[in-house]
Amino acid sequence: MRVFVLGSGSGGNALLVESCGTRVLIEAGLGPKTVAARLAELGLDVAAGELHGIVASHQHGDHFGHADKLAAAFSAPLYLHPGIPGIEAAEGLDVRRYDIGRALRVGALTLTTVQVPHDAAQVAVRVDDGTHALGVATDVGRVTPGLVALLGECDAALVEANHCSEMLAFSEYPDVVKRRIAGGWGHLSNDQTAELAARLVGSRLARLWLGHLSRSNNTPARALETVASRARRIDVDVLPASSPVALHVRAIKPHQLGLPF
Ligand SMILES: [Zn+2]
Ligand SMILES: [Zn+2]
């Protein structure tokens, strides 16, 4: 399973998952031109009809703002859960509804979702090709047992480490915005993501990619240090802020085999 992360953060989210001949775009927060350009940077050329589905986690613009244009440009079905307002009316779009918590089959891939707290109806997503599984969980207000269970059944996951609580507290953001981000319906702090990682120790999860970092209220070094300190036997990396990156999802925990990686 290959994962092409094209953007992660408030500037726009999109990642393409490819396995067994199926390609699914998770999140639709970048326009078709940007998606095509960033895929090309990673050596991937996806023509219309070669993308088998677009799945957005929630209706916020950085995840859903370009959904209609992407679906049109790539002639791809748009899979929406009931908490995302309808764009069915848009002409020529293939919009398909699915229920949160029920398996959704897209080609060779099975997608499972679990609702997570956020100030819009929001899901964490698990993508499974029968051998490998990837989790995606950003825009999470607080850690829930359902989220831990979903990620614990993945080999690798892209999870947000949005902000450093101290940096946010001392930032120039208005208090109402600070409360929104730090409250239980906003975003995970580095400490919360570290707590999540600690709860995943001993599960199937072997790799954690940290994303959706705040540009003003976090640094890659802080996020990495905080989360890695609690993520025993889980490899932790921070996704690059501004360049696309191609990742591989592998099934085996090297540490468990005692191999010298
Ligand atoms: Zn977001
Ligand atoms: Zn959001």
Side-chain angles (χ1 to χ4, degrees):
M1 179 184 285
R2 295 198 299 170
V3 183
F4 302 86
V5 182
L6 310 178
S8 181
S10 55
N13 298 272
L15 56 139
L16 187 139
V17 181
E18 179 185 72
S19 188
C20 309
T22 300
R23 290 169 170 160
V24 173
L25 191 71
I26 311 281
E27 311 293 26
L30 298 170
K33 280 186 185 154
T34 309
V35 165
R38 293 189 185 173
L39 285 172
E41 264 186 70
L42 299 172
L44 201 65
D45 180 23
V46 179
E50 293 180 352
L51 184 64
H52 304 99
I54 300 172
V55 179
S57 62
H58 65 301
Q59 62 171 292
H60 286 160
D62 57 323
H63 298 259
F64 186 63
H66 297 270
D68 51 349
K69 291 184 195 69
L70 286 164
F74 288 100
S75 306
L78 190 53
Y79 292 93
L80 303 179
H81 64 65
I84 298 181
I87 54 172
E88 277 88 345
E91 216 172 288
L93 287 188
D94 179 2
V95 177
R96 306 180 190 182
R97 290 283 171 180
Y98 71 92
D99 291 327
I100 296 170
R102 283 185 61 183
L104 167 68
R105 186 91 184 171
V106 182
L109 302 176
T110 304
L111 283 77
T112 326
T113 45
V114 65
Q115 189 139 16
V116 292
H118 190 52
D119 52 3
Q122 162 68 330
V123 294
V125 183
R126 178 179 182 272
V127 186
D128 190 329
D129 67 3
T131 308
H132 305 105
L134 168 79
V136 181
T138 68
D139 298 55
V140 176
R142 60 185 178 276
V143 175
T144 62
L147 176 63
V148 175
L150 183 100
L151 296 178
E153 289 298 320
C154 297
D155 302 295
L158 191 172
V159 173
E160 82 168 339
N162 179 257
H163 57 276
C164 161
S165 299
E166 290 77 27
M167 286 177 76
L168 179 65
F170 289 105
S171 78
E172 292 181 353
Y173 282 18
D175 283 349
V176 61
V177 178
K178 289 182 187 178
R179 278 197 298 273
R180 186 215 149 223
I181 295 170
W185 300 91
H187 291 270
L188 292 180
S189 68
N190 295 340
D191 287 326
Q192 286 175 300
T193 307
E195 173 65 29
L196 171 61
R199 288 169 67 174
L200 289 164
V201 169
S203 76
R204 176 174 165 181
L205 192 83
R207 281 197 77 87
L208 205 46
W209 293 302
L210 304 179
H212 213 303
L213 269 69
S214 164
R215 259 171 271 163
S216 336
N217 297 314
N218 208 356
T219 67
R222 275 180 187 239
L224 182 63
E225 189 188 343
T226 308
V227 178
S229 71
R230 304 286 308 279
R232 231 166 11 95
R233 296 196 303 276
I234 299 172
D235 291 330
V236 185
D237 283 308
V238 179
L239 294 173
S242 51
S243 52
V245 62
L247 309 164
H248 278 271
V249 178
R250 297 187 175 87
I252 302 162
K253 276 192 176 188
H255 306 288
Q256 292 180 336
L257 298 174
L259 297 175
F261 289 126

